[in-house]
Amino acid sequence: MRREANLDWVLKGLADGVPHTKHVVLLSADGLRMAQYDTSDNTADRLAAACAGLQSLAGAVALELPHSHGRMRMLVIEMDGGFFYLMAAGAGAYLAVLAEEGVDAGLMGQRMRDLVLRIGEHLKSPPRHDVGTSP
């Protein structure tokens, strides 16, 4: 598993800056945790794995729109107890946030976009290569 421990602190501002934020995870497109803030490894890994499926489904739905190229920008799911946000965050990387009820949805979306814009070049996951193949 590739882990960008130096990015954990970057997620702190989002988690601390939006009340009711529960978990913040940075993941690769294939569902591997790259960074997290104030979230256990097990929870972050489960969220990252689930996000891989969600971004894939969102991309498939996006293909039904003209000029979308199947790219998912942001996905928001409202559920009992809170909200889940998934945002594209650089080439092959996604930012995921789970927030409890009472979160300001507009503020969360804005802060996620600001974070991605501010450090987008650092929020990316290069493609992995199979063992035994050259890059």
Side-chain angles (χ1 to χ4, degrees), residues 4-11 26 34-36 119 122-123:
E4 299 291 344
N6 62 337
L7 290 179
D8 290 359
W9 70 270
V10 173
L11 304 179
L26 176 67
M34 297 168 59
Q36 72 209 48
I119 59 170
H122 302 288
L123 296 180

Side-chain angles (χ1 to χ4, degrees), residues 11-119:
L11 304 179
K12 179 184 187 318
L14 177 61
D16 292 348
V18 182
H20 304 287
T21 299
K22 181 90 174 142
H23 302 291
V24 181
V25 178
L26 176 67
L27 62 132
S28 65
D30 55 357
L32 295 178
R33 169 179 43 100
M34 297 168 59
Q36 72 209 48
Y37 176 73
D38 200 24
T39 301
S40 73
D41 288 350
N42 286 338
T43 298
D45 286 341
R46 282 192 307 273
L47 286 173
C51 289
L54 289 171
Q55 65 86 17
S56 179
L57 288 170
V61 171
L63 286 172
E64 299 303 318
L65 295 170
H67 313 294
S68 77
H69 307 289
R71 293 187 196 127
M72 188 274 307
R73 290 186 192 167
M74 184 170 196
L75 173 71
V76 179
I77 301 173
E78 181 178 4
M79 61 200 101
D80 290 343
F83 295 85
F84 174 75
Y85 302 85
L86 181 62
M87 178 179 277
Y94 294 87
L95 180 62
V97 176
L98 191 61
E100 297 172 333
E101 281 187 45
V103 69
D104 181 331
L107 178 62
M108 179 62 78
Q110 178 185 1
R111 294 283 173 91
M112 289 177 73
R113 278 189 294 276
D114 290 348
L115 176 62
V116 168
L117 288 173
R118 207 171 59 240
I119 59 170

